[in-house]
Amino acid sequence: MKLAVVPALTLGLLGSFVSVAGPAAAYDRVSGRGCTVRPLTPKDARGDWVNFPVSVKCGDGRKLVYIQQRRYEKDRGRDTRLHDGRYDEFTHYVHRGDRYEVVDRYDRVSRKLDRRGPEEVYHEIRFAVSERNGRLEWSGWMRSGTLTGVNSHQ
C-alpha cells in the first residue's frame, strides 16, 4: 500500500509543478495579452553601426508594448555588456495585428573591444504589454542570434 501512495503523491506533485511552470515558460515568447516579441539577429550597418532589430506582433493590434534591450559583445570568458551595463527601454505601439513589425535599434560598436579579429555581438530583450490597470508583467530575457564580423580589423 505504501508503494502505491508514494508514486501517486510524486505524480500529483509533478503535475502541479508542470502546470505552474508551463505558463511561465510560454510567457518568454507570447504574453497573456496576445503579443509575440522576439530579438532578431543583429545586422551590420555602415561603419561602426549595428542594427539590433526586434520583431513585434500582437494578434488584435492596438497594443502598447514596452521593451527592454541589453547589448553584448561576445568574449571567450564573460561577455562584455555594451554601454556600461545599462539597458535601453523603449515602447512600440502595434497598429495592426496581421503582421510582424520590425523595430530597428541602431548602436555603435567600438573597434576596441577585441584586440584580434572582428567583433561578435548579440542582444537580449524582455517585454511587457500594457494593461488597463497600468500594471506591467515582464517576460523573461530572450537572446538573439550572434552577428560575427562587425568592424573587421584588416
Side-chain angles (χ1 to χ4, degrees):
M1 186 67 165
K2 288 182 183 178
L3 293 176
V5 172
V6 172
L9 286 174
T10 304
L11 288 174
L13 291 174
L14 182 60
S16 66
F17 174 74
V18 170
S19 66
V20 170
Y27 189 74
D28 285 349
R29 292 257 178 222
V30 180
S31 82
R33 311 309 154 256
C35 294
T36 301
V37 182
R38 296 180 302 138
L40 302 176
T41 300
K43 294 181 169 84
D44 202 354
R46 294 179 185 214
D48 295 344
W49 291 94
V50 174
N51 182 12
F52 293 89
V54 177
S55 171
V56 181
K57 181 180 181 182
C58 294
D60 58 356
R62 298 184 180 150
K63 301 264 183 175
L64 185 60
V65 180
Y66 295 84
I67 301 169
Q68 293 179 344
Q69 183 182 53
R70 303 185 294 206
R71 300 172 187 130
Y72 293 90
E73 192 274 324
K74 194 170 184 177
D75 292 321
R76 287 188 181 156
R78 187 175 183 181
D79 295 345
T80 302
R81 198 141 144 213
L82 304 178
H83 303 293
D84 301 323
R86 293 174 291 153
Y87 59 81
D88 284 348
E89 185 168 318
F90 57 96
T91 58
H92 180 73
Y93 182 76
V94 178
H95 298 280
R96 297 175 55 181
D98 60 344
R99 62 186 164 135
Y100 284 94
E101 298 175 13
V102 175
V103 181
D104 293 320
R105 303 292 295 177
Y106 290 91
D107 200 358
R108 281 183 171 233
V109 176
S110 173
R111 295 175 185 261
K112 299 175 184 176
L113 293 172
D114 277 341
R115 293 200 168 111
R116 296 181 212 138
E119 311 299 343
E120 298 173 303
V121 294
Y122 66 93
H123 63 121
E124 295 179 335
I125 65 159
R126 70 180 187 161
F127 73 99
V129 179
S130 64
E131 294 185 34
R132 290 184 183 144
N133 65 7
R135 205 177 87 205
L136 296 177
E137 188 174 331
W138 291 93
S139 72
W141 289 96
M142 297 170 281
R143 183 176 171 168
S144 73
T146 301
L147 169 66
T148 303
V150 179
N151 297 332
S152 294
H153 305 285
Q154 299 172 347

